[in-house]
Amino acid sequence: MGTGSSKNDYGLYDMAGNVWEWTADWYSSYYESSPASDPQGPASGFNRVGRGGSFGNGAADLRASQRYYAIPSHTLDYLGFRCSMSLP
């Protein structure tokens, strides 16, 4: 846990920043006209979505709604996975 961190509503710490997090969503402009609640996104595509911002972004980009996209086969220093566990 980072210094001064507090847990979120799910009991998890430090869930923003460091790397963009890969998601299962395909990237498109779908979200500009999607339902406001639980949009499913397109069934296929070329780029996958990363969310949350990375160490190279400013504070305004460190939020779950911030999207980035990349070709799934690419490796990037600022794009990865976040493993998490809830502490009692």
Side-chain angles (χ1 to χ4, degrees):
M1 291 180 291
T3 304
S5 295
S6 60
K7 61 184 175 182
N8 66 17
D9 292 341
Y10 299 103
L12 304 172
Y13 293 84
D14 298 325
M15 294 303 295
N18 197 22
V19 296
W20 288 92
E21 298 168 22
W22 279 119
T23 70
D25 293 344
W26 291 104
Y27 186 85
S28 80
S29 59
Y30 167 83
Y31 293 101
E32 295 171 5
S33 61
S34 68
S37 179
D38 195 23
Q40 296 301 305
S44 63
F46 183 71
N47 293 300
R48 290 280 189 181
V49 173
R51 288 199 178 265
S54 76
F55 57 86
N57 295 104
D61 290 330
L62 302 180
R63 54 193 173 88
S65 61
Q66 184 68 16
R67 294 192 318 148
Y68 173 80
Y69 62 90
I71 298 169
S73 61
H74 285 191
T75 58
L76 305 165
D77 292 340
Y78 50 85
L79 181 61
F81 296 92
R82 183 178 307 276
C83 297
S84 65
M85 64 181 210
S86 180
L87 300 174

